[in-house]
Every structure is written in C-alpha cells, then in structure tokens.
Amino acid sequence: MPRSCAAAFCKNNAENVKKRGLNITFHSFPSDDSLPKWIDFCKRDEHWKPTKISTVCSLHFKPDDYQMAKSSLPQTLPVLKRLKPYAIPSLIQPADFIQNEPSNMTAPLKECNQPNVEFQTDSEYFSDVENVPSQTIIDMKRELDQVKEDNRKLIEVNTNLRDKLHSYFNENKRLKAEIDNLQKHISKKDAGIDEAALVTAMKERLKPTLSENQIDIILKKKKRVVWTKEEIGSALTLKYFGLRCYKYLAKDRKFPLPADATLKRYTKNLVVKEGILDDVLKLISNLTSTFTEKDRLCALSFDEMKVNRIIELDKASDEIIGPHNYLQVVMARGLCNKWKQPVYIGFDKKMTKEILLKIIEKLSEININVVAIISDNCSTNVSCWKELGAKDYERPYFQHPTTLNNVYVIPDAPHLLKLLRNWFLDSGFTYNGKHIKADLLFDMIASRNETEITPLYKLSKTHLVMTPQERQNVRRAAQLLSHTTAISLRRYFKNNAEATDLANFIEKVDLWFSISNSYSPFAKLDYKKSYTASDDQIKALDEMFEIVSNMTVIGKHSLQIFQKSLLMQITSLKLLYDDLHKRHNISFISTHKVINDIKNIIYSY
C-alpha cells in the first residue's frame, strides 16, 4: 500500500507524487510530545489514531521546519527534507514552497475553486516565463494568494461541518438505543410481565444447580461477591474431579466460580489441628453428596509416620507446633469410587478404640459408611483390635457404632509380606516335617552370574542381604517371593525335592499377595485380577491359610503374631466380600484399596 498523507484535506500519496514528478516527501508521525498537535492538524475523526505507516507530506511544513533548506554540498539535491525536532505541520496550502520550487509548480490555481485542490505539474506553463511581464506575474501571485485563502476558509467550514455531523451521528445512535429500551419496557408492560417476579422465578429454577452468588452474577445483580464456605467447598470438589475441567468452565465458558487466588486463600486458613479434621469432613460431604450408597462405602487406614523434631508456626491457627516424634494419620478411602482424604491427625499418639469409634461416628453423620479398617500388626494396633472386639482370625470384625453392621479388621498385606520374607531369610520355616529355608536362593543367585541369559534378571544379592532400612522395601520382598523365582528354582534344581518344596511355597505366597494387592478386574493375568471370590481365588487363599496355620518358625513352637495377622487378613477379605456382595451387590473388590498406603498418599499430597 503506497504511503499517503494523513491530512483529511490532502490527497497526496507516494504513487501520484512519483507519476507527476513532484518533489514531495512523506514524514512519519513523531513519538514525542508534539504528536497530539500533528493529529489535530490532520482534522480526522476524533477517535482516529496514527499507525506506524501514517505520514504527513512535506507540503504542510514551512521551510523553517527543516534542518537545512539547501545543501552546501555540490551535486546533491537542492532541498533536504529532514525535519527539525518538534516540527509541527501548519500549512494548508504552502505558498512558500511554490515560490522556492518553481519546477514542481502545480496547475494554475486560478482555475481551481474547490477546497482540497490537487496541484498538477505543468512544465510548459512557465516555459517562457522570462518573456512574461513582471506586472502579470505579480497579478498571478495575487490571484494565487486569494485562491489559497478561499480554499483555507472552505476547509475550515468543511471541518466544522464534519465535526457537527459526527456529533449528530452519536446523538442519533444514543437516541435510537433509548427508544429500543423504552419499546422493550412498553412491551413488557403490555404483556403484564413483572421483572421482579421473573427474577424470583428464575432464581427458584436455578437453585438446585447454582448458588445464590452464582445466580446474582449471571443475572448481573452483582459484579463482585463474597463466596460462602459451602460455595468454596463445592468449587474445591469440582477442582478435585478435574483441574482442566475447572479452568474450562471458569475461563472459557465464563461460569461463575471462585478464582484460584480465592481457593488458595481459603485452603491456607483451613483449620488442621490435632484430632478429627472437621473442615475436611465438610469437603468430603460436598464431594460425596451425589454419590450412591455403594460409592459411599469406605475403609479407614491408619499408620504412624516419623516427623522432623522441629518447632513451627501454624499461621491459620496462630499456634506453635512441635517438637514431635511421630504423626498418627487416619485416611478415609472409597472402596467403590476414587476418593480419599485424611480425616484425623495426632502427634505422638497411639491409635485407640475411642479415637476410631469417634471417627466412624463422624463419617456416619455425613453418610459415609466405614466397612473396614486397615493397619499394620504392631503391638499397639493389635491391642486396639482386641479392644474393638476383633480378638483373633476367627472373628476379625466389630460392630459399627451407628449402623451395627460388621466393620472388618484387615491387617496390611504388604507389611505382612515383608514380615514373612524377614522370618524366611532369618530363620526359615518347618512345614509338614520339612524345612523351608533360603539357602538354595543364595546358591541360585550366586550361580546366575555364570550364565549369559537368566530368568533371574530382577534378583541380586541385595534381595537376600539388606540393611534394616532396605528391609522396609515392599518391592524387593515381592520380587524375591514371586512366580519368577519359583520357576527359576525348578529350572536350576530340576531333581531337587527341597527346591521343589521351596518353589511351591513361594508360588503360594505369590498367589496370595497378587490377590491381596489387585488393581483391576481387567488385568491380563487371571491371578492379578480384582477379588471376585472365584473358585481359583478361593483355592489360592485356602492353600495359603493352610500353609501359614500349619507351619512354624524354626526354633519356635507356636504361631507368631505375623502368622495370626496373615490368617486374619485372609478371613477378613473373604467375609468383607461376602457381606458387601450380599448388602450392595458388588461384583469385585480391588484389594489395593484395603492396604495401608498412608505414606504414599501423604507424599502425593
């Protein structure tokens, strides 16, 4: 697009200037304080603003506006078009330029009687100017000046008329809008519609879906609102279900929701003191308000965590906390729906019957039904089980304080697997008069380095010789007592009866743990699918029950606590499934939800 003069009364542009051979240049708008004066000179619409390519031609500047009127250098152009700083266009029809530049003289002005005259070059007009009498030239100049003055006056009149027309246009637009509003009001009156009654009716219809503040924002009754705790709780629930969904509704669909800063400010002020977390229970209530009865079934898992022995300031409650050694955490987790929240914390406190029953009652008040509790089998937890009424593996349950249904005690399967591995490596077992020891595993792992290809690529000496900290690793225990290890024993020691007995034992343990730590009913391997009480799963659990109940640790004469806990875990899993299948018609239990993963959940938070 060719550069053109931005003045409303000037038609010069780079294309027609070049065609006519005019010595006219175009100057960009400045960025200093003189910019408003340039804009005023152009006489454009009041909302008009110059762009990067907007220019004003040199016909509107005085010779004094240029840094050098004539060049002192030889063989250069007679005129240099570089403006002085803060130069301002001021000429409507620059007569001085015509006098100084006769070669670029425009068409005879006496023939022009219209404003915004476009001057056209006519080189023949002054071809024999020397023969023209001086008086004639003076008369022509006088006529030229008169024409310019008339043209200037016409431009001023035209500019004033344009300004008036623009103001009339805006006034007309405003009056039309006012007429439309009056017509709408009249039509409502004629139809007998009461606006207040209409708003009330709309609020009643929207109440089941939206809150009061959301309705007021949609109806433009309010621009800013103070969100209530219930509204913020619902927003946090929505954000919990999907962060991208929350952002889509709030930003893209303009749905009235609390901003991220509001939610962060609210969560910072959540009261998280020792004891039952009432604010968290409100969030759970909002989260599960639309759940079915089956989706509200939950299990409580609790465990102790080591904490740094430091002193900290809780800004929300303005209290000093610490120093402490341990943190007792109770987590509520849905069995048939994906939700989990901490509901209790306590520093340096052991779990007791009173604490558990109080938590269960509080959850029952918000229609959350606890059907199982999960923990490891440390001595304090075993004492708590007995206080509740779950004395042994023959009766691994107690009564719910509100519903009076059974609440099943399920010892933590991963913890039992680690204990089983530790006793196996440290002492070994006696079963049906035979010893089950780890000696063959040491020999097999030592000989695996002699072969180039081995099925024991996951096992090493670190699975057998570990530090106390490494013994807490569940993965190592699961890899050692796995189906792969059983197959390897049979291949490395083909005709060894002791290896066969050890492989059978490890295989039973692997089947039990796969059933007790299942994730999906659609797993590729049958024995890793969720628990459905199928014949194969019942058979595997019964065989593990029979082995554990009849084996003894070498050097011991009775069942150890980990053995009794393992028997309780198997019995509780069976009874829990039968009970829920009968009362809620569930078809499977993903048993990883009834293991104690407090530490993993806390770390994910």
Side-chain angles (χ1 to χ4, degrees), residues 15 19 45 50 77 292 315 333 370 380 452 498 531 601:
E15 187 175 351
K19 286 181 180 180
D45 183 79
L77 294 172
T292 62
K315 293 182 179 180
R333 184 172 189 171
V370 177
T380 55
E452 185 174 350
E498 183 180 353
Y531 182 71
I601 293 173

Side-chain angles (χ1 to χ4, degrees), residues 138-203:
I138 293 172
D139 294 340
M140 290 177 63
K141 288 184 63 178
R142 188 179 297 111
E143 291 180 10
L144 178 61
D145 292 339
Q146 183 62 40
V147 170
K148 287 182 179 180
E149 180 64 22
D150 294 342
N151 188 50
R152 185 186 63 77
K153 292 179 180 179
L154 289 173
I155 289 174
E156 290 181 358
V157 172
N158 185 33
T159 303
N160 293 332
L161 291 174
R162 282 177 179 270
D163 293 341
K164 288 184 179 180
L165 180 63
H166 184 72
S167 62
Y168 291 152
F169 176 80
N170 291 336
E171 181 67 14
N172 184 44
K173 186 176 180 180
R174 185 188 66 78
L175 292 173
K176 282 185 176 180
E178 189 174 345
I179 290 171
D180 290 339
N181 290 332
L182 290 173
Q183 287 179 345
K184 289 180 181 178
H185 187 69
I186 292 171
S187 60
K188 286 182 180 179
K189 289 276 187 180
D190 294 341
I193 297 175
D194 187 357
E195 188 173 353
L198 180 62
V199 171
T200 304
M202 289 177 65
K203 284 187 174 183

Side-chain angles (χ1 to χ4, degrees), residues 336-361:
C336 302
N337 203 319
K338 290 184 179 180
W339 63 270
K340 56 181 180 286
Q341 290 290 338
V343 294
Y344 173 89
I345 58 172
F347 291 103
D348 298 333
K349 289 186 179 180
K350 302 297 182 181
M351 186 52 62
T352 62
K353 170 185 175 181
E354 290 74 19
I355 293 174
L356 277 176
L357 291 179
K358 186 64 175 177
I359 294 171
I360 293 172
E361 288 174 352

Side-chain angles (χ1 to χ4, degrees), residues 553-567:
V553 176
I554 295 176
K556 305 291 182 180
H557 302 288
S558 60
L559 294 180
Q560 301 301 302
I561 294 178
F562 85 92
Q563 292 175 273
K564 295 178 182 178
S565 299
L566 204 155
L567 298 177

Side-chain angles (χ1 to χ4, degrees), residues 413-422 424-425 438 441 445 456-486 506 509-510 513 517:
H415 186 74
L416 294 175
L417 181 69
K418 290 187 293 183
L419 292 176
L420 181 64
R421 185 272 317 274
N422 294 343
F424 170 64
L425 293 178
L441 290 177
I445 290 175
L456 282 175
Y457 66 93
K458 288 184 179 180
L459 294 188
S460 65
K461 193 175 180 180
T462 58
H463 287 78
L464 301 174
V465 181
M466 293 166 286
T467 63
Q469 186 64 29
E470 290 172 340
R471 287 194 170 208
Q472 300 301 316
N473 192 311
V474 178
R475 184 181 294 275
R476 289 190 184 183
Q479 289 174 343
L480 180 66
L481 302 176
S482 66
H483 182 65
T484 303
T485 304
I506 291 176
V509 173
D510 178 66
F513 187 67
N517 191 33

Side-chain angles (χ1 to χ4, degrees), residues 385-431:
W385 300 345
K386 291 180 179 180
E387 289 179 9
L388 289 167
K391 296 182 179 181
D392 51 35
Y393 59 86
E394 294 180 353
R395 191 183 183 277
Y397 53 82
F398 61 92
Q399 272 193 342
H400 192 290
T402 304
T403 65
L404 302 182
N405 293 321
N406 290 339
V407 179
Y408 297 91
V409 177
I410 305 179
D412 183 35
H415 186 74
L416 294 175
L417 181 69
K418 290 187 293 183
L419 292 176
L420 181 64
R421 185 272 317 274
N422 294 343
W423 282 99
F424 170 64
L425 293 178
D426 295 340
S427 302
F429 304 116
T430 299
Y431 175 66

